[in-house]
């Protein structure tokens, strides 16, 4: 009798062991915790759960399908569509290092998976049927919550030191503030416009560099005043440099708008320095014009990416990716 019981117990252990081993466990890295919000890689998780994922570069939209569930999610927005029904998410989908991240809770809402969070190990566990996905999460130190408008005293002093290196160094630094092009414009009658974003840090650095060029030094108190001037303007400004071989081509008002999520933000004002001959005149390009557009800060969320849309005089549309967290 004892042997029979032992055999039964042994059999139960085998069954239990086989059941556990049959559970498929996959470990995924790339999760991020930003401002106490857990974001996880969408494509990796969806595909592990059997969903088909499609990315539309033109509309910046992710579409996923699994069985009878259809999901649509646009970058930068707080609304997803699941089987035709709008669903709110607390943090917009965003791309980091080429990976689309979404709130952990959205995985549960979208595919009905069971989601758990272990705060001690910083691990998210997602379970559905016989599949278990373990997502390792890294805490980002306010990287996604960075606001260059709130410049610190230490950053002001750093900007002065960088500016003291001179105008040639300033030119190198300004290259970091060029806003990357999202969609190139082909067949233009002029060259690709160059867009720069200005910040309090860059303002202080620029003033310090110009003073250094005159054998002068920008004091900390003067730098603070320049920061105050920037903040009092209550705007973020973009400078657009247009080039062409004819005054008629570029001597026209430009239309510019900032798109953030579903919101279109228009500049409160735009100024131009007028058309000037380039150093390459009369060779190409012969002329250039600098425009500066000022966008109200109370309508911009610097924690979210945006798209700058530029409409040129010939109605050509050019777009630029604005990632505010990239700039000091």
């Amino acid at each position: 009798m004892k042997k029979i019981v032992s055999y039964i117990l042994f059999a139960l252990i085998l069954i239990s062991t086989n059941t556990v081993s049959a559970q498929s466990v996959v470990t995924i890295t790339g999760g991020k915790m930003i401002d106490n919000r857990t974001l996880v890689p969408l494509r990796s998780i969806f595909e592990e759960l059997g969903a088909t994922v499609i990315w539309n570069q033109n509309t910046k939209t992710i579409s996923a399908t699994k069985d009878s569930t259809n999901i649509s999610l646009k970058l930068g927005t707080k609304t997803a569509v699941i089987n035709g029904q709008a669903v709110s998410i607390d943090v917009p989908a965003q791309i980091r290092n080429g990976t689309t991240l979404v709130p952990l809770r959205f995985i549960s809402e979208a595919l009905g998976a069971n989601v758990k969070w272990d705060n001690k190990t910083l691990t998210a566990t997602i379970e559905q049927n016989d599949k278990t996905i373990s997502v390792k999460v890294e805490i980002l130190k306010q990287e996604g919550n960075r606001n260059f408008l709130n410049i610190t005293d230490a950053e002001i002093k750093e900007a002065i030191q960088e500016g003291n290196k001179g105008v040639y160094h300033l030119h190198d630094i300004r290259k970091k503030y060029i806003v990357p092009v999202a969609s190139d414009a082909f067949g233009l009658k002029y060259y690709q416009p160059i867009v720069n974003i200005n910040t309090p840090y860059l303002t202080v650095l620029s003033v310090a560099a110009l003073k250094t060029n005159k054998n002068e030094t920008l004091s900390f108190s003067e730098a603070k005043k320049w920061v105050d001037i920037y903040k009092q303007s209550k705007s973020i400004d973009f400078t657009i440099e247009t080039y062409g071989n004819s005054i008629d081509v570029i001597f026209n008002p430009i239309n510019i708008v900032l798109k953030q999520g579903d919101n279109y933000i228009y500049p409160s004002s735009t100024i131009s320095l007028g058309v000037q001959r380039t150093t390459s005149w009369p060779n190409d390009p012969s002329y250039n014009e600098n425009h500066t557009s000022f966008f109200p800060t109370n309508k911009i969320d610097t924690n979210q990416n945006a798209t700058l849309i530029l409409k040129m005089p010939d109605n050509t549309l050019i777009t630029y990716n604005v990632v505010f967290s990239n700039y000091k």
Side-chain angles (χ1 to χ4, degrees):
M1 183 67 179
K2 186 176 179 180
K3 289 184 178 181
I4 295 175
V5 172
S6 299
Y7 287 138
I8 293 173
L9 289 174
F10 181 69
L12 289 174
I13 291 172
L14 284 178
I15 293 172
S16 176
T17 303
N18 290 336
T19 301
V20 172
S21 62
Q23 181 81 7
S24 177
V25 180
V26 177
T27 299
I28 294 175
T29 59
K32 309 291 182 185
M33 180 176 285
I34 305 172
D35 194 23
N36 293 321
R37 303 294 177 88
T38 303
L39 305 179
V40 294
L42 181 145
R43 178 182 287 274
S44 299
I45 295 172
F46 271 31
E47 290 182 344
E48 285 292 343
L49 294 178
T52 301
V53 181
I54 299 174
W55 164 251
N56 188 317
Q57 176 66 26
N58 295 328
T59 62
K60 309 295 182 186
T61 301
I62 306 149
S63 300
T65 303
K66 181 185 179 184
D67 301 328
S68 60
T69 302
N70 296 299
I71 304 159
S72 178
L73 179 64
K74 191 171 185 178
L75 285 184
T77 64
K78 291 186 176 183
T79 303
V81 178
I82 302 176
N83 289 339
Q85 298 295 318
V87 176
S88 296
I89 55 178
D90 52 359
V91 179
Q94 54 191 270
I95 292 181
R96 285 182 175 268
N97 299 323
T99 300
T100 301
L101 302 176
V102 296
L104 178 61
R105 190 181 69 178
F106 176 70
I107 303 296
S108 174
E109 294 176 340
L111 295 178
N114 183 31
V115 174
K116 299 177 182 178
W117 170 249
D118 188 330
N119 198 50
K120 292 183 179 180
T121 61
L122 296 180
T123 303
T125 302
I126 301 161
E127 298 176 339
Q128 188 177 67
N129 300 329
D130 60 345
K131 176 78 71 172
T132 298
I133 302 172
S134 177
V135 183
K136 301 298 182 181
V137 176
E138 170 193 8
I139 297 178
L140 295 187
K141 297 181 180 179
Q142 296 184 340
E143 182 180 341
N145 209 22
R146 182 178 180 179
N147 189 338
F148 59 73
L149 297 175
N150 299 326
I151 184 172
T152 65
D153 287 351
E155 288 173 328
I156 293 175
K157 293 176 181 178
E158 178 188 300
I160 294 173
Q161 291 175 352
E162 290 295 315
N164 289 341
K165 296 178 182 179
V167 291
Y168 291 107
H169 183 63
L170 169 63
H171 292 325
D172 290 336
I173 294 294
R174 286 190 64 85
K175 293 176 183 177
K176 299 179 181 179
Y177 289 80
I178 294 177
V179 182
V181 178
S183 63
D184 290 316
F186 298 99
L188 287 173
K189 297 178 182 178
Y190 29 71
Y191 291 75
Q192 179 76 59
I194 300 173
V195 175
N196 287 79
I197 185 172
N198 192 28
T199 69
Y201 182 93
L202 184 60
T203 298
V204 172
L205 195 154
S206 300
V207 175
L210 294 174
K211 276 186 167 288
T212 299
N213 201 43
K214 298 179 182 179
N215 294 320
E216 299 175 1
T217 302
L218 178 67
S219 67
F220 178 76
S221 59
E222 288 178 307
K224 290 275 285 187
K225 291 179 181 179
W226 280 102
V227 171
D228 290 339
I229 291 172
Y230 187 103
K231 290 184 177 181
Q232 288 168 9
S233 71
K234 297 181 180 180
S235 62
I236 298 175
D237 58 276
F238 294 85
T239 299
I240 303 96
E241 301 176 29
T242 56
Y243 294 84
N245 299 321
S246 168
I247 293 179
D248 295 334
V249 170
I250 61 175
F251 190 66
N252 284 287
I254 61 170
N255 294 311
I256 186 170
V257 64
L258 192 67
K259 185 176 185 296
Q260 193 167 51
D262 295 326
N263 299 321
Y264 288 88
I265 306 164
Y266 296 90
S268 54
S269 63
T270 297
I271 61 174
S272 173
L273 298 180
V275 178
Q276 301 178 14
R277 288 181 178 179
T278 65
T279 55
S280 61
W281 186 89
N283 298 319
D284 300 342
S286 303
Y287 302 95
N288 86 293
E289 184 173 15
N290 286 347
H291 311 260
T292 302
S293 293
F294 301 85
F295 291 85
T297 53
N298 62 347
K299 295 184 178 180
I300 299 174
D301 182 358
T302 56
N303 296 326
Q304 295 186 36
N305 300 341
T307 300
L308 192 73
I309 304 172
L310 191 62
K311 184 178 181 181
M312 301 306 293
D314 65 352
N315 293 324
T316 301
L317 294 180
I318 311 172
T319 58
Y320 299 79
N321 288 328
V322 185
V323 182
F324 291 108
S325 61
N326 285 347
Y327 306 104
K328 272 190 177 182

